[in-house]
Amino acid sequence: MSLKPWVLAVVVFTLPAFAADEKKAKPPELAGRYDCVGDSGGNEYRGTVEISEQGAGYKVEWSIGDETYSGVGIWENDRLCVSWQTDGEAKAHGIIVYSREKDGTLKGKWTESPAGERLKEETLTPRKK
């Protein structure tokens, strides 16, 4: 049995694509503690964030002033995508999408329900170990 030339070409050209997807799919090391600075529409806020691995995704916990927020996220297309909600009486929920800088800093854009007129921003800087 011999392979047709076009079958061999498909295999040769497809394998590197699968290898690239597999390499790309592996997320960077994200677990750890971060200092958080954000803009909630003209008001700066500061706090801390803890990211931990949870199965195939991540658990994210913010502590900002007296408020705590919990989220769950996944690494997809070189972005950390996190759905979050408040833990306190003032119920709120939203989504934030972070891109990762070379130094490990996560830069995010977020919104909450009901969505505002513009996206808000947040930066997570890894704490030194």
Side-chain angles (χ1 to χ4, degrees):
M1 179 174 171
S2 66
L3 290 176
K4 304 272 187 211
W6 65 269
V7 172
L8 186 56
V10 168
V11 171
V12 169
F13 288 112
T14 306
L15 283 177
F18 283 121
D21 282 347
E22 203 171 291
K23 183 179 178 187
K24 184 179 178 184
K26 182 170 172 46
E29 178 61 42
L30 298 173
R33 292 185 56 83
Y34 295 80
D35 291 318
C36 172
V37 176
D39 175 12
S40 62
N43 298 318
E44 182 181 272
Y45 61 87
R46 294 179 176 273
T48 59
V49 175
E50 179 83 29
I51 299 176
S52 56
E53 291 183 13
Q54 183 176 18
Y58 297 91
K59 179 179 179 183
V60 183
E61 295 178 291
W62 292 260
S63 181
I64 299 171
D66 294 337
E67 295 289 326
T68 57
Y69 305 81
S70 296
V72 61
I74 61 169
W75 182 260
E76 183 67 29
N77 294 326
D78 293 329
R79 302 281 189 269
L80 177 61
C81 308
V82 181
S83 172
W84 59 267
Q85 68 181 19
T86 57
D87 291 338
E89 289 183 28
K91 297 294 181 196
H93 59 278
I95 188 167
I96 186 163
V97 178
Y98 295 100
S99 60
R100 187 169 185 270
E101 305 289 312
K102 289 182 182 186
D103 66 356
T105 299
L106 297 171
K107 296 208 177 237
K109 294 199 181 284
W110 63 274
T111 190
E112 62 188 309
S113 180
E117 293 182 20
R118 68 178 183 87
L119 293 176
K120 298 156 186 156
E121 296 182 356
E122 180 174 277
T123 300
L124 304 183
T125 305
R127 288 189 162 187
K128 303 286 186 211
K129 294 181 181 182

